[in-house]
Amino acid sequence: MNDRMLVHKVYHRLSLLSLTPHTLPFKPVQFPSALSPASIRTRPLNGTVRSLRTTAVMATSRLRNLVPVNAVASEDGSGGASNGSVSSTAAITALEDEEDSTLGVRYRLPPQEIKDIVDAPPLPALSFSPHRDKILFLKRRSLPPLAELARPEEKLAGVRIDGKCNTRTRMSFYTGIGIHQLLPDGTLGPEIEVHGFPDGAKINFVTWSPDGRHLAFSIRFDEEESTSSKLKVWVAQVETGIARPLLKSDEIFLNAVFDNFVWVNDSSLLVCTIPLSRGDPPKKPWVPFGPKIQSNEQKSIIQVRTFQDLLKDEYDEDLFDYYATTQLVLVSLDGTVKEIGPPAVYTSMDPSPDHKYLLISSIHRPYSFIVPCGRFPKKVDLWTADGKFIRELCDLPLAEDIPIATNSVRRGMRSINWRAEKPSTLYWVETQDEGDAKVDVSPRDIIYTQPPEPLEGEGPTILHKLDLRYGGISWSDDSLALVYESWYKTRRTRTWVISPGSNDVSPRILFDRSSEDVYSDPGSPMLRRTPAGTYVLAKVKKENEEGTYVLLNGNGATPEGNIPFLDLFDINTGNKERIWKSDKEKYYETVVALMSDEKEGDLPIDHLKILTSKESKTENTQYYILSWPEKKAFQITNFPHPYPQLASLQKEMVKYQRKDGVQLTATLYLPPGYDSSRDGPLPCLVWSYPGEFKSKEAAGQVRGSPNEFAGIGPTSALLWLARRHALLFSFLTMFAILSGPTIPIIGEGDDEANDRYVEQLVASAEAAVEEVVRRGVAHPNKIAVGGHSYGAFMTANLLAHAPHLFSCGIARSGAYNRTLTPFGFQNEDRTLWEATSTYVKMSPFMSANKIKKPILLIHGEEDSNPGTLTMQSDRFFNALKGHGALCRLVILPYESHGYASRESIMHVLWETDRWLQKYCVSHTSTVNVDPDASKDDSGTVSTDSESKAIAASGGSGPEVSNTGHEGFDSLPRSLLW
């Protein structure tokens, strides 16, 4: 950085510094006359630089007693947390070398107030026992270090495998298990900690035995803590918490690439293990056996989406077999082991409700180089519980040719399952349209049922025929089951009432509606757990009344927001009685589960007991047990507020209208203590994700509740509600956050939504910006837009086609060139050749020359999401740079589509904060008001085109490329079952 640039940077930062508390109107601090603009311009440069450095150091020492000084320096390589303070020398060094220090040399930390929220310990996950008398608190840790993501992984057939553990890579885990008795008065007994395993164990796959007396789980260790990091199966007694290894042999390890283990009965488990005969992994040949050849001499029509991590050659096929091949073993609680079946690539194990049979699925060769393993040849067999082969149910061929149209499926038997209300009866579905959603045929799907060992010559029985695509069954008994079907193209969804045990009772439609019409949603039937561990419809009986009643649990969408409810619904008459609903004035309450489901038969209404969650704008979620007939609620959790510094944030659900008349909604968040009349308009961050609809009416319906607690994830836009402190050499102001403004892309009738994507996108954004400006909470020239994945795609398009609305943009893990996803994307099921103009017009890559506002691109280097290849951001950045756009590209090593490691997430937050402070908070140019302003060929206002390219430097942190203006104003819930 040259001396002249340094002079202007230092002066500008000092001139922006404010010591005024955030509750008072902003007034610039008056600095000595020696720092006036005139004196800086007339003094000799070398002397000025020297005196400014001295003055800055003095200012630093004074300010340390008045305002918090947050670190912008990186953590050291160990990954330990910085205390957030820096010396005056370090601060001045960072000031002088700002641009060089931000070019990926190291990972960086966001401001302390953001870092504190992200580093807060997470709340535990919950799991209830089969008899609903005990509850597990599954303890979790905060963000993992990057070193865990950096472990070697094999990318095979759409699966990423950790060869050291023989599991999927990047598995989260629990650090401990606490057991509490649920007492009759609704309170929790003292915690019994599961113990007996070494410190530092990573716990996964926690499951209850059917009788609720034992827990099974896996344990693994980091390599430096143990001779092996492979998984072992452990069991624990629930009454005492004492844990021990299930298997006596130290040579038997869990293979968790696909399935892991399942309780066959109260005292034994079926476990996927690494074959004892397995040797070393195959070695990749130095010289290939031959060229890689794919052929379509049969002229088959094979259209596939942009899948990633596919097999590439014969070596990959062998490696996939090596890690995925499993030996099934039956293990008793006393440690007795019995191998069953031959080694194979088993993908699922499902015991029958009466524990007599096993439904075993596996995949086999020939494999494919163009589709993931879910489409490989699939075999489903029926075994006895002790491993004796009975019969083959199906052997499906390789499915490379499933059409890309939504609702297309694989040919042959699918969704093979056990009927939940029977001891051991199978059911499955078969398509009648060759799996192609574009084929018009009736029926489209047929549901079959059959005993596990049918008599000779006895074929399957047709249970029901469907004209839409099968969507599942809720079983009750021979007299009642509910069958679901739907069709995406029309958004139609139907629920059928059938009598599985009676051929003379005709099926009838219970509900026939649009899936988009949330106001008419009747709710979903609640299920109860049977003694066999399956789930069936919870039928309720009323004293001295006839009728077949079920419980419908609904979101209760209304124009005022969601008001969840529980209805007692008569299947025969359609009459319903609302027996519970949420308090709409202050709280948002939902029904989570049925707690009085441990007994068979119809449940008396006066014995009803449910688990509910309750939250408000400022109170985080707590769980309650609600019992009838008194409907008295007992609070069973008392989780602390996860971020008390934002306990008094302001939240409002706002409604406004698009110019075409579509009603839109968004959630507006304002910082604690903010007053628009006193503090004036704020910089604003708009964070969203578009959605597709078939009607304006459905698009305009309100979704969500104004009373929901503001959950803040580690990369949430809501973190900037905490950004309200003055830092060294820059006044960093509060932010308004417009979260999730609805951006409906509507295609009514035969129209395709994406054909008017850009027009509707811009109209929705204009309406959102106009609303926050009208309310006086957002400064019209300080509004940023951002999004992740399809939201990043949205962000780039808005900067290309509506630059008058936003000062800058932040786009994470997006796809920007739709010609690179030629066989469909998102919900678009036309190919590039069928809708060429739509693909081109929707691609912000094709409009890179129109993007004149600063855009920050962030992408994981190992993105596995179909369509959002890391190459998308690379090529988009180069296109932007080729047109002199102000842009920055950050590639996060080892990260996938979402970001996981603490180092990466902290750096993403630092990058985002830097971008917002530099190009949103400090943005002062006036846009869309000067009739003489220069415009580009799209008619939108352009900013100054001066730019400066800065080459990326290597280092231990994210790979960063940067180019753009370097002017003088630069500123640096889970519930488990």
Side-chain angles (χ1 to χ4, degrees):
M1 181 184 299
N2 59 44
D3 287 340
R4 184 179 300 278
M5 181 70 74
L6 174 65
V7 172
H8 285 281
K9 280 182 175 290
V10 174
Y11 170 71
H12 183 76
R13 291 175 184 225
L14 291 175
S15 68
L16 286 177
L17 183 64
S18 172
L19 305 184
T20 308
H22 74 274
T23 55
L24 299 177
F26 172 73
K27 295 180 180 178
V29 175
Q30 300 299 316
F31 290 98
S33 58
L35 296 180
S36 68
S39 63
I40 289 179
R41 285 193 292 270
T42 57
R43 288 177 116 182
L45 279 176
N46 291 339
T48 303
V49 172
R50 192 176 301 113
S51 69
L52 279 174
R53 289 178 181 173
T54 304
T55 305
V57 172
M58 294 174 60
T60 303
S61 63
R62 294 194 200 101
L63 293 173
R64 181 162 288 112
N65 296 322
L66 297 174
V67 295
V69 179
N70 286 20
V72 294
S74 67
E75 298 176 297
D76 60 26
S78 65
S82 163
N83 62 12
S85 63
V86 292
S87 67
S88 58
T89 302
I92 296 304
T93 301
L95 174 65
E96 292 176 350
D97 301 326
E98 180 198 63
E99 299 306 336
D100 290 339
S101 70
T102 62
L103 289 179
V105 176
R106 288 194 178 184
Y107 286 92
R108 309 298 294 272
L109 286 173
Q112 191 72 32
E113 59 270 23
I114 290 178
K115 176 176 167 291
D116 287 344
I117 295 176
V118 176
D119 274 340
L123 299 176
L126 308 180
S127 176
F128 286 87
S129 67
H131 298 304
R132 306 299 190 243
D133 60 343
K134 295 179 178 65
I135 181 174
L136 300 183
F137 279 59
L138 302 170
K139 299 167 186 179
R140 301 183 284 187
R141 60 154 185 187
S142 53
L143 298 172
L146 185 65
E148 289 190 14
L149 273 65
R151 290 172 61 104
E153 61 182 0
E154 303 292 346
K155 302 173 184 178
L156 303 167
V159 177
R160 294 186 174 183
I161 300 172
D162 184 332
K164 293 292 185 181
C165 296
N166 220 102
T167 66
R168 301 290 181 98
T169 60
R170 306 166 187 238
M171 288 199 309
S172 60
F173 59 87
Y174 303 112
T175 58
I177 305 173
I179 307 172
H180 292 268
Q181 182 77 32
L182 189 58
L183 302 177
D185 63 357
T187 59
L188 297 182
E191 180 179 272
I192 299 173
E193 184 176 1
V194 175
H195 59 283
F197 46 80
D199 292 340
K202 299 178 178 181
I203 303 168
N204 288 99
F205 312 125
V206 182
T207 58
W208 294 88
S209 63
D211 61 6
R213 297 176 59 188
H214 292 87
L215 297 174
F217 49 91
S218 70
I219 278 184
R220 59 190 162 104
F221 299 92
D222 289 329
E223 287 181 275
E224 60 268 22
E225 298 175 10
S226 174
T227 56
S228 174
S229 57
K230 292 185 174 66
L231 280 66
K232 302 284 287 186
V233 182
W234 284 57
V235 292
Q237 291 181 335
V238 171
E239 290 301 322
T240 64
I242 298 174
R244 59 177 175 82
L246 174 65
L247 296 157
K248 297 177 181 178
S249 171
D250 291 333
E251 303 301 319
I252 302 178
F253 297 99
L254 186 66
N255 186 337
V257 170
F258 287 106
D259 212 338
N260 42 79
F261 55 81
V262 62
W263 288 92
V264 175
N265 51 47
D266 293 337
S267 59
S268 60
L269 297 95
L270 184 60
V271 183
C272 295
T273 67
I274 298 172
L276 291 173
S277 60
R278 189 178 82 172
D280 294 330
K283 296 185 181 298
K284 189 167 187 175
W286 286 98
V287 179
F289 298 118
K292 300 175 183 178
I293 298 174
Q294 297 186 52
S295 175
N296 191 34
E297 296 182 48
Q298 297 79 19
K299 298 184 179 180
S300 302
I301 298 176
I302 298 176
Q303 301 176 351
V304 294
R305 298 258 174 150
T306 316
F307 297 118
Q308 300 192 52
D309 301 337
L310 301 175
L311 299 177
K312 299 180 290 298
D313 50 31
E314 291 182 8
Y315 167 73
D316 275 2
E317 292 181 306
D318 293 341
L319 201 60
F320 176 74
D321 277 338
Y322 176 83
Y323 287 115
T325 297
T326 289
Q327 174 63 61
L328 297 181
V329 299
L330 196 60
V331 189
S332 300
L333 287 177
D334 62 6
T336 304
V337 177
K338 176 186 177 182
E339 290 188 356
I340 62 173
V345 183
Y346 296 110
T347 56
S348 69
M349 313 170 296
D350 188 11
S352 61
D354 62 2
H355 311 303
K356 292 183 179 180
Y357 299 96
L358 297 171
L359 200 58
I360 304 294
S361 299
S362 61
I363 57 178
H364 60 82
R365 299 195 185 211
Y367 296 151
S368 171
F369 298 148
I370 64 172
V371 294
C373 58
R375 297 190 182 189
F376 287 0
K378 178 181 179 180
K379 186 179 179 184
V380 182
D381 292 332
L382 189 64
W383 298 358
T384 61
D386 59 358
K388 179 183 176 182
F389 174 80
I390 297 177
R391 65 187 177 109
E392 177 186 289
L393 296 180
C394 67
D395 191 351
L396 305 177
L398 179 64
E400 290 182 332
D401 58 348
I402 298 176
I404 63 172
T406 307
N407 284 131
S408 294
V409 296
R410 190 174 193 156
R411 291 190 292 270
M413 296 173 67
R414 70 181 198 278
S415 300
I416 307 172
N417 285 296
W418 298 105
R419 285 176 57 167
E421 91 290 16
K422 294 288 186 181
S424 52
T425 300
L426 295 162
Y427 74 99
W428 67 89
V429 184
E430 293 187 35
T431 179
Q432 306 301 300
D433 58 10
E434 295 297 309
D436 190 348
K438 292 185 178 180
V439 173
D440 189 11
V441 65
S442 177
R444 189 174 292 276
D445 274 340
I446 297 180
I447 306 170
Y448 296 93
T449 184
Q450 189 178 49
E453 298 185 74
L455 300 175
E456 185 175 353
E458 181 183 9
T461 300
I462 294 178
L463 185 69
H464 190 55
K465 297 180 179 181
L466 299 169
D467 284 339
L468 309 181
R469 189 63 79 203
Y470 168 78
I473 301 179
S474 295
W475 300 95
S476 176
D477 49 37
D478 277 341
S479 66
L480 176 63
L482 300 180
V483 181
Y484 311 101
E485 63 174 341
S486 63
W487 198 246
Y488 177 76
K489 203 71 173 178
T490 60
R491 309 300 198 272
R492 190 179 184 186
T493 180
R494 295 196 295 199
T495 302
W496 290 84
V497 178
I498 66 170
S499 297
S502 180
N503 293 328
D504 56 355
V505 178
S506 298
R508 61 184 177 88
I509 293 178
L510 185 65
F511 303 121
D512 189 349
R513 47 181 294 274
S514 168
S515 59
E516 289 185 336
D517 183 10
V518 293
Y519 291 171
S520 70
D521 188 350
S524 301
M526 297 200 71
L527 306 178
R528 69 170 180 86
R529 190 181 191 275
T530 69
T534 62
Y535 286 85
V536 299
L537 287 169
K539 292 171 67 175
V540 178
K541 60 183 178 182
K542 299 176 71 175
E543 188 175 356
N544 301 322
E545 287 191 29
E546 296 294 329
T548 303
Y549 296 98
V550 297
L551 297 168
L552 295 182
N553 180 15
N555 290 326
T558 73
E560 289 74 42
N562 289 356
I563 306 173
F565 63 82
L566 188 63
D567 280 351
L568 191 62
F569 182 79
D570 190 331
I571 288 285
N572 297 324
T573 65
N575 296 329
K576 59 185 177 182
E577 174 189 352
R578 187 140 300 177
I579 60 174
W580 176 90
K581 70 175 180 178
S582 174
D583 172 11
K584 68 177 182 179
E585 299 304 324
K586 179 180 179 182
Y587 291 100
Y588 177 71
E589 303 169 90
T590 61
V591 175
V592 179
L594 187 62
M595 298 296 287
S596 50
D597 63 350
E598 72 276 12
K599 297 178 181 179
E600 291 193 77
D602 293 357
L603 176 67
I605 185 66
D606 287 345
H607 294 177
L608 183 62
K609 186 184 296 183
I610 60 175
L611 176 72
T612 66
S613 66
K614 185 177 182 180
E615 61 196 82
S616 72
K617 296 177 184 179
T618 56
E619 300 171 56
N620 57 310
T621 302
Q622 306 292 352
Y623 293 97
Y624 295 76
I625 301 291
L626 183 65
S627 301
W628 269 252
E630 296 87 0
K631 297 185 182 180
K632 186 175 181 180
F634 297 94
Q635 184 174 343
I636 63 170
T637 62
N638 189 25
F639 296 133
H641 199 292
Y643 20 88
Q645 59 271 57
L646 291 178
S648 59
L649 64 81
Q650 303 174 58
K651 174 184 177 182
E652 181 183 359
M653 180 176 285
V654 298
K655 301 177 185 179
Y656 50 97
Q657 201 171 73
R658 203 164 72 179
K659 62 184 180 182
D660 60 0
V662 176
Q663 181 75 30
L664 305 178
T665 58
T667 304
L668 176 63
Y669 292 92
L670 298 170
Y674 168 75
D675 185 323
S676 60
S677 61
R678 179 192 63 205
D679 301 320
L682 301 175
C684 179
L685 175 58
V686 178
W687 198 270
S688 193
Y689 191 99
E692 295 179 12
F693 294 87
K694 288 301 294 180
S695 72
K696 292 181 179 179
E697 292 73 23
Q701 291 182 349
V702 176
R703 292 161 174 83
S705 168
N707 294 326
E708 287 181 272
F709 181 70
I712 301 179
T715 57
S716 170
L718 301 188
L719 288 166
W720 274 266
L721 292 169
R723 197 68 169 104
R724 56 188 299 183
H725 298 301
L727 301 187
L728 183 65
F729 298 127
S730 61
F731 183 82
L732 301 176
T733 187
M734 299 180 284
F735 272 86
I737 309 294
L738 192 67
S739 177
T742 50
I743 300 184
I745 310 300
I746 304 166
E748 295 186 298
D750 294 331
D751 293 342
E752 297 290 344
N754 284 338
D755 290 342
R756 295 178 57 238
Y757 173 86
V758 171
E759 174 189 338
Q760 297 188 68
L761 179 72
V762 171
S764 297
E766 285 176 338
V769 168
E770 288 170 4
E771 178 64 17
V772 289
V773 171
R774 182 191 67 80
R775 287 170 169 263
V777 298
H779 193 295
N781 297 323
K782 299 178 186 294
I783 299 177
V785 62
H788 189 94
S789 194
Y790 207 51
F793 176 73
M794 168 206 76
T795 298
N797 265 308
L798 285 173
L799 293 189
H801 303 291
H804 58 291
L805 297 177
F806 303 106
S807 60
C808 64
I810 301 155
R812 300 192 318 221
S813 299
Y816 309 102
N817 183 353
R818 285 305 168 195
T819 68
L820 297 178
T821 56
F823 291 107
F825 57 89
Q826 207 68 3
N827 292 314
E828 177 60 67
D829 54 16
R830 295 171 296 175
T831 70
L832 168 64
W833 298 272
E834 294 172 318
T836 305
S837 62
T838 296
Y839 272 66
V840 171
K841 186 176 180 182
M842 286 183 70
S843 298
F845 179 87
M846 303 300 181
S847 300
N849 61 314
K850 299 179 182 179
I851 296 180
K852 308 299 182 183
K853 293 298 180 66
I855 182 169
L856 171 63
L857 304 174
I858 302 175
H859 215 121
E861 192 171 31
E862 305 295 334
D863 194 329
S864 63
N865 187 56
T868 55
L869 293 79
T870 309
M871 173 183 65
Q872 288 271 5
S873 286
D874 285 329
R875 292 189 175 181
F876 188 42
F877 173 75
N878 286 327
L880 292 167
K881 188 168 61 172
H883 290 89
L886 197 165
C887 52
R888 181 176 176 88
L889 172 64
V890 179
I891 302 296
L892 302 169
Y894 303 114
E895 295 290 351
S896 186
H897 190 59
Y899 318 136
S901 74
R902 183 177 185 274
E903 291 91 333
S904 295
I905 286 174
M906 290 295 184
H907 190 87
V908 166
L909 298 176
W910 180 84
E911 291 279 0
T912 304
D913 187 68
R914 172 185 178 273
W915 205 254
L916 292 174
Q917 303 302 329
K918 194 171 184 179
Y919 300 115
C920 182
V921 173
S922 300
H923 182 65
T924 56
S925 64
T926 302
V927 293
N928 205 31
V929 295
D930 183 1
D932 297 322
S934 62
K935 296 186 178 182
D936 63 17
D937 59 3
S938 66
T940 53
V941 179
S942 301
T943 58
D944 183 7
S945 61
E946 178 187 356
S947 62
K948 175 183 177 181
I950 298 181
S953 62
S956 61
E959 178 186 343
V960 181
S961 298
N962 194 97
T963 181
H965 303 284
E966 300 300 332
F968 302 148
D969 61 342
S970 298
L971 294 172
R973 181 176 12 191
S974 294
L975 189 72
L976 305 183
W977 294 95

